[in-house]
Amino acid sequence: MGVANAGAAANPENATTVFFNPAGMSQLKGTNISFGAAILDIDAEAKEGARANNQLPSIAPQSEVQGSLGGDIADPAVLPNVYLTHEINDSIDVGFGIHAPYGLAADYEDDFVGRFFADKTELTALSFTPAISVNNGQGLSMGLGLNVMYVEGKLTKFIDNSGTIAQAPGGVVPGTPAQGYADIEGDDVAVTFQVGFLYELNDRTQIGLKAQTGTELELKGDAKFTNLAVATPAGTPTPPGPGVAVAIDSTEPARVPLAIPESITAGIRHSLTDEITVLAGATYSRWSRFESLDIYGRDSSKPLTAQSPGGMPNQLTHIPEEWENTWQLNVGGIWQATPEWAFKAGYAWDESPVDQYVTARIPSSDRHWLTLGAQWKPAQSGWTVDAAVGTLLFTDDPTVSDKSYVLTPGGTIPSPADTNSFYEGEYDLEAWSAAIQISKAF
């Protein structure tokens, strides 16, 4: 991290090359182990002036949602990792890694003014990566890797009952709450593949390339609805009778399709002198695969799934995303101050995939990533300790504009059944990161 991942595909310093470019294992001797963790702390808070409307017309006295700004929605995230490589012979190396390639966590306070659009958002991924590399003995190496990912997700929000209560022709059962709660959880296992190349142009310069496939996840689990207001159907005996708003609880099998993008990374490392090394790299990710966040019921006999409130058959929710493909561009340098100590610095321009639809679940913008690091490598010990810190400087304060949408055969449209509800707010974003990596060569 000390060089902001600059030239990572061309700079196999330790066993983490299993992740950055499996071809780099060919430049490691013997057996290598590397383990560590990164901490990312994002401060994301809505500014004063954030506001929301419920399902009632904006002219209605009770249409404005009351509540707080939601607080700091992101807790510090710890991302551990461990990697191992082993040299089979002069031509073949194998490796294995366990790491967290993707993650997302946001949690608003329960009285958040936009709680009908977002409460908790969690996505956790753990990847198991076996890899192999071969080299031709003339400076060219090739590596192959397999990422077996276990992914689990959780989405929650409060449910606005105001529209159902106001429109129920038979009135409302006393005590029916003005809001309910939705909790959707699911998990899945998926596989991606990576291929890497590393070529030594000369004794001071080498270039690397890594490509990784994308995949489609289908997180399966349950959608739990609590205190959901529904209108009783025709023929319901009295009490309560037909067309009366009542609160129900329902647990419904659900699935959430989720796309993981393809990516390609290029890097270069060049030693200006025996003490100074410069690095550069670029990564292109196809985030345009993530078009929407959709939740589908898996049992059409269940109360909410049967209504298809998301638009298409059995669809519970439709949130358009329309993410864009992104670039991350990195530069960095290493100064070998003494045989034992090296100091590092890096900079990255990191594009956000969020574009047209900025939601309360993922307020984001482009950012600059600045890092500093140090490496301690005691002579003859075989141990290396890397430590780094960094900060993210966001270019804009993202403006969230959430509304209710449905999916139709012709595409996304505003929900005809809910033309009034919205959430609007501008966000302050700040972030810092830190990492430590301990490596040993045997």
Side-chain angles (χ1 to χ4, degrees):
M1 191 184 103
V3 292
N5 291 342
N11 189 36
E13 289 188 301
N14 51 47
T16 59
T17 192
V18 170
F19 170 73
F20 291 110
N21 185 355
M25 293 188 297
S26 294
Q27 294 188 359
L28 302 179
K29 301 298 182 184
T31 300
N32 296 265
I33 187 171
S34 186
F35 57 92
I39 299 175
L40 177 61
D41 186 15
I42 300 176
D43 295 325
E45 297 186 61
K47 296 182 180 182
E48 290 291 339
R51 64 193 187 100
N53 202 88
N54 61 24
Q55 295 176 359
L56 302 177
S58 58
I59 59 174
Q62 303 300 319
S63 65
E64 184 176 350
V65 179
Q66 302 298 314
S68 72
L69 297 176
D72 180 7
I73 68 174
D75 291 327
V78 179
L79 307 173
N81 67 78
V82 60
Y83 299 93
L84 176 71
T85 68
H86 179 67
E87 183 182 23
I88 302 295
N89 55 45
D90 289 343
S91 299
I92 300 175
D93 291 77
V94 293
F96 184 77
I98 303 175
H99 59 101
Y102 304 99
L104 177 66
D107 185 7
Y108 289 90
E109 295 173 354
D110 287 349
D111 65 345
F112 170 49
V113 69
R115 58 189 177 274
F116 297 138
F117 290 93
D119 182 33
K120 292 182 181 179
T121 306
E122 297 176 1
L123 181 68
T124 303
L126 188 63
S127 182
F128 302 87
T129 307
I132 185 172
S133 70
V134 297
N135 73 86
N136 67 355
Q138 298 179 0
L140 178 63
S141 304
M142 176 182 175
L144 296 173
L146 182 71
N147 295 310
V148 181
M149 294 188 297
Y150 171 73
V151 181
E152 60 181 11
K154 179 184 181 75
L155 298 169
T156 72
K157 71 171 187 175
F158 288 83
I159 301 172
D160 181 13
N161 288 336
S162 63
T164 300
I165 291 173
Q167 296 171 16
V172 57
V173 171
T176 300
Q179 64 182 30
Y181 198 67
D183 185 336
I184 296 93
E185 298 185 34
D187 60 9
D188 193 15
V189 175
V191 175
T192 64
F193 300 90
Q194 58 182 9
V195 58
F197 298 90
L198 186 63
Y199 183 60
E200 299 175 65
L201 295 173
N202 53 55
D203 61 351
R204 288 192 174 274
T205 307
Q206 61 185 22
I207 56 175
L209 182 71
K210 186 192 86 166
Q212 180 167 297
T213 63
T215 190
E216 297 285 342
L217 293 160
E218 183 121 320
L219 306 184
K220 291 184 178 181
D222 290 321
K224 298 179 181 180
F225 302 98
T226 306
N227 289 326
L228 170 68
V230 298
T232 54
T236 301
T238 303
V244 178
V246 299
I248 65 168
D249 296 340
S250 180
T251 297
E252 310 190 9
R255 62 183 180 89
V256 182
L258 190 63
I260 299 296
E262 303 92 339
S263 66
I264 186 167
T265 300
I268 183 170
R269 185 187 75 186
H270 177 68
S271 298
L272 294 174
T273 68
D274 292 342
E275 293 79 27
I276 303 295
T277 300
V278 293
L279 306 108
T283 297
Y284 183 74
S285 300
R286 189 168 167 249
W287 279 112
S288 59
R289 292 171 60 106
F290 186 37
E291 297 179 348
S292 60
L293 180 58
D294 297 310
I295 302 171
Y296 292 89
R298 294 186 287 129
D299 184 349
S300 59
S301 68
K302 294 295 184 178
L304 202 62
T305 301
Q307 297 178 24
S308 302
M312 301 299 287
N314 299 332
Q315 189 167 10
L316 296 169
T317 300
H318 173 64
I319 303 174
E321 299 289 352
E322 300 294 343
W323 282 15
E324 288 193 330
N325 300 331
T326 63
W327 282 98
Q328 185 186 79
L329 306 175
N330 330 64
V331 292
I334 303 173
W335 172 39
Q336 192 69 47
T338 72
E340 293 187 348
W341 283 96
F343 298 96
K344 304 178 180 183
Y347 165 79
W349 165 251
D350 192 15
E351 288 185 327
S352 169
V354 177
D355 184 41
Q356 178 181 356
Y357 297 99
V358 185
T359 69
R361 292 198 181 275
I362 314 175
S364 181
S365 70
D366 297 341
R367 53 258 179 185
H368 305 277
W369 185 26
L370 305 173
T371 64
L372 292 173
Q375 182 184 85
W376 180 50
K377 189 174 185 178
Q380 308 303 319
S381 72
W383 288 96
T384 302
V385 179
D386 284 273
V389 294
T391 185
L392 290 171
L393 305 176
F394 293 87
T395 60
D396 298 297
D397 294 334
T399 298
V400 168
S401 181
D402 270 318
K403 297 179 182 179
S404 294
Y405 296 93
V406 295
L407 183 63
T408 72
T412 298
I413 63 171
S415 172
D418 180 13
T419 59
N420 299 314
S421 61
F422 67 82
Y423 166 66
E424 296 176 348
E426 188 177 43
Y427 281 68
D428 275 323
L429 299 179
E430 297 177 356
W432 65 269
S433 57
I436 187 168
Q437 198 74 25
I438 300 172
S439 305
K440 170 71 171 176
F442 299 91

